[in-house]
Amino acid sequence: MTGITLQNISKRFKTETAVDDVSLAIQDGEFVVILGASGSGKSTILRIIAGLEVQTSGHVYIGDMLVDDYEPRDRNLAMVFQSYALYPHLSAYENIAFGLRVRRVPREDDPERLRRFSRDEIDTKVRSAGQMLGIGGMLEKRPAELSGGQRQRVALARAIVRDPEAFLLDEPLSNLDAKIRSNARIELKRLHARLRQTFVFVTHDQTEAMTLGDRLAILNHGRLLQCDSPDRVLSHPANQYVASFVGSPEMVFLEGNVEPAGTGYTFVKEPVRIPVRGVPRMGPVTVGVRPWDVRVERSSSPSAVPARVTGVERLGSSDQLFLELGAPSSPTVAPTLPPLPVRAVVRSYDFNVGDGVFVSFDADRALFFDAEGARLDSMSVATRLL
Amino acid sequence: MKPRRRRRWARLAKRVASHVILIGACAFALFPIYFIVVTSLSTLPIAGITAHVLVPSPSTITTASYGTVLYHLSPNFLTLLTNSLIFSGSSAAIGLALAAFTGFALSKFNFPGRRTFVYFILLISLFPGVLLVIPFYFMFSSLGLIDTYLGLIIPYSAGAVVFSGILVKNYMDSIPDDIEEAALVDGLSRTQAFFRVLIPLCYPVLGLAAFLAFIGPYTDFALAHVFITSNNLWTLALGIYNINSTDQGAQNYGLVTAFAVVMSLPIVVFYMVFQRYIIGGLTLGAVRG
Ligand SMILES: Nc1ncnc2c1ncn2[C@@H]1O[C@H](COP(=O)(O)OP(=O)(O)OP(=O)(O)O)[C@@H](O)[C@H]1O
Ligand SMILES: [Mg+2]
């Protein structure tokens, strides 16, 4: 049980920079999810922690031990690979026992000297890990004879028996089909609660990240953009990339301008107008609103904009509406502006394609970004006060 | 109804045709072996393609040639066999060990000039071995290795490494790096991971490589003929060649063919034992190029 610290880690392959100056302190017992699109350097970071890849610069600490020069086997970490990387020639039992057979531990009577685990010790450990993961009955099978879900458990069991300093998991759920996957997610979370060990989990699936992580570390092009709790990442994304990457369905962005209006300022993107307070940034600004903060109503209200429903996506417990703002609520009226596409999440079956509606924004929760995508912290929406 | 029936006929015709072709190919490949076996069992001093030889009757079958081959040759058959097994066995063992390491290095390590080296090896393997006999002779005689076991084992194993090294490399390329890395994280050193994970996974290709590394020296004549002068180091290949020069062997195809049959037995046994691996290695090699 130990924390892991990355200090200014960079990794360059010939021409491209896979990891760019990443610093991250993972606490003892924490479940940290490294989240990023494909090619953002997630696996590379995990491999650097494991010692399978050597960083170009920076330092890795396990606990307070500097491990830059340690071979993978001396780091005592456990890793679950996306492919599971089970040994195809060995039974599930032998796969799990493999690490124990080569491992040496201090002797009880003389801690200066090392000994190997006895057969019985190995057997006990393997069987209890198998039991914990519900694969006790299939330990004699070879990996080829196991289903994807079972393989994944064998890989987890192989990690658990070794009682490592920390667990590194590289998209371990991505090869499972949707149903097993959500189960596996819950089991993994439970396992973490039970083991209370440090987990570093890599994924490109933001739902997975949100449900699993104590903290999310969001990567883009090898850079660490933000590392915060799921709630915080959702409500206070560091920039527009994080805002769009996290949260499903994706955030709605409106690119417009901040203009003086009366005594204050207003964000304008015709036909939408949102009053602004704080220290406004003039000129081009992007407003981001979560689709569930977009209100859709049948009847008009002040500040609501007429719109038409152009598409409905059934999400299960809710619907995502595709809307065109400014589209006249009645087809007979000629449009004055090109319609502005927006999305909203509403209760299932409330609206249908073609409905004329009125849209307003839960402006309290809107976020502002500058032209480069950085969040404008000092700006907020002036709600109804003006 | 009609199209379906037509399709069934087409399938049947295809099946018959493929069987006919395969049986024909089989007969073509097996006929020489059959011919050698029946000749070795005939009494004719000089064989000819006669019905008499091709379709033997119980009254004409004799195992006399086998008796001569096994008991009345000089040097005797057992010496020849022992020598052949020593040459082939040790060359296969050494060649295989080196090929495993070569394949491992070429497949799993990144070092400058790796690709060039692979191409270089492929280029070398294009040269027919016979070309090397003369230069090898001068080299080895100046080293005092002519007419010794070592003098043949060295070039034989070297030949095996060149070919099998590439074979093993190609096979190891198909084993995902993940698996080796899992072993490293599991607490193994690179060497341990090689012996405990990669080698067991490579059994099929190693079986094939061993078979090829064994057959090469076992059937080699050119190099052995030049390098070996003493009778007591003769191999089977030299023995069969020299039957002709003995009194009872001159032009006696019964003897030569009986010798050939006995000589091929160890290879057949070898193949039977490792068949599972060899076929696996062949097909995998074929699929992965
Ligand atoms: N061994 C390597 N040699 C050269 N480039 C590499 C190597 N490994 C990774 N890269 C590059 O580094 C970048 C990051 O790769 P990495 O595997 O860490 O991405 P990832 O975030 O894990 O992506 P994915 O979600 O697809 O697994 C990629 O652009 C990749 O091409
Ligand atoms: Mg990856």
Side-chain angles (χ1 to χ4, degrees), chain A residues 119-370:
Chain A
R119 252 170 190 285
D120 289 343
E121 278 174 295
I122 292 177
D123 191 64
T124 313
K125 283 169 191 282
V126 170
R127 295 205 182 275
S128 79
Q131 212 79 55
M132 192 191 300
L133 289 160
I135 45 168
M138 48 200 81
L139 290 175
E140 302 315 317
K141 291 191 177 180
R142 297 248 180 136
E145 300 161 341
L146 298 172
S147 73
Q150 293 165 343
R151 281 180 215 177
Q152 189 249 344
R153 284 151 201 253
V154 174
L156 267 178
R158 181 170 71 175
I160 289 170
V161 275
R162 293 205 9 246
D163 188 25
E165 302 285 343
F167 290 87
L168 310 176
L169 305 108
D170 194 348
E171 311 205 19
L173 308 183
S174 64
N175 284 336
L176 303 179
D177 59 49
K179 199 165 168 193
I180 308 181
R181 195 146 141 195
S182 72
N183 269 337
R185 214 147 61 194
I186 294 164
E187 275 174 27
L188 199 63
K189 191 71 189 165
R190 227 177 257 157
L191 194 67
H192 175 247
R194 179 162 170 186
L195 298 172
R196 302 238 127 269
Q197 281 183 311
T198 311
F199 276 56
V200 186
F201 183 103
V202 159
T203 182
H204 60 254
D205 179 339
Q206 58 97 25
T207 319
E208 202 165 283
M210 293 297 227
T211 47
L212 281 174
D214 294 330
R215 276 197 299 158
L216 313 187
I218 295 149
L219 280 187
N220 186 27
H221 294 307
R223 288 179 164 277
L224 181 62
L225 301 180
Q226 185 171 10
C227 185
D228 269 319
S229 71
D231 288 344
R232 182 96 191 145
V233 167
L234 208 56
S235 60
H236 291 78
N239 56 38
Q240 195 177 339
Y241 181 83
V242 174
S244 78
F245 197 77
V246 177
S248 172
E250 202 191 328
M251 192 173 231
V252 175
F253 294 102
L254 302 174
E255 288 171 31
N257 278 287
V258 173
E259 294 167 5
T263 55
Y265 298 89
T266 306
F267 169 86
V268 181
K269 170 68 181 175
E270 291 298 349
V272 178
R273 289 171 169 270
I274 302 175
V276 175
R277 69 175 172 189
V279 187
R281 164 93 54 112
M282 305 301 283
V285 160
T286 302
V287 163
V289 185
R290 298 287 171 200
W292 49 89
D293 292 332
V294 175
R295 248 180 279 129
V296 182
E297 279 152 336
R298 294 259 179 218
S299 53
S300 181
S301 61
S303 84
V305 177
R308 202 168 52 229
V309 180
T310 59
V312 178
E313 183 187 13
R314 309 252 179 247
L315 301 176
S317 55
S318 55
D319 283 352
Q320 176 169 223
L321 303 184
F322 294 84
L323 303 158
E324 283 187 352
L325 298 192
S329 36
S330 137
T332 51
V333 184
T336 50
L337 278 168
L340 179 65
V342 192
R343 287 169 292 114
V345 170
V346 297
R347 231 175 50 200
S348 288
Y349 302 107
D350 275 3
F351 299 95
N352 291 307
V353 175
D355 287 358
V357 294
F358 294 90
V359 171
S360 57
F361 297 92
D362 190 346
D364 287 338
R365 316 269 287 264
L367 302 170
F368 291 86
F369 304 97
D370 70 10

Side-chain angles (χ1 to χ4, degrees), chain A residues 95-115:
Chain A
N95 262 282
I96 299 169
F98 195 77
L100 296 175
R101 295 211 193 282
V102 290
R103 181 97 179 281
R104 285 160 193 272
V105 289
R107 291 168 62 120
E108 283 79 7
D109 51 338
D110 181 1
E112 292 292 293
R113 288 163 60 202
L114 297 175
R115 65 176 187 94

Side-chain angles (χ1 to χ4, degrees), chain A residues 47 52 73 77 79 81 83 85 87-89 98-99 102 158 162, chain B residues 178-179 181-189 192 196-197 200-201:
Chain A
R47 293 167 54 82
L52 294 171
R73 63 168 167 159
L77 301 170
M79 188 153 170
F81 293 78
S83 61
Y87 311 117
H89 60 300
F98 195 77
V102 290
R158 181 170 71 175
R162 293 205 9 246
Chain B
D178 281 6
I179 292 179
E181 288 171 354
L184 298 183
V185 177
D186 251 354
L188 277 74
S189 67
Q192 285 173 314
R196 302 186 63 153
V197 176
L201 289 177

Side-chain angles (χ1 to χ4, degrees), chain B residues 32-41 65-66 68-70 73 77 80-81 218-219 236-237 239-241 243 252-268:
Chain B
I33 295 173
Y34 171 77
F35 189 51
I36 285 171
V37 173
V38 291
T39 308
S40 72
L41 293 171
S65 301
Y66 287 91
T68 314
V69 164
L70 290 177
L73 288 184
F77 188 83
L80 299 176
L81 180 66
Y218 193 79
T219 55
L236 289 168
I240 199 170
Y241 172 73
I243 286 181
N252 189 332
Y253 288 103
L255 270 189
V256 175
T257 51
F259 195 109
V261 169
V262 182
M263 180 175 170
S264 65
L265 286 181
I267 294 182
V268 173

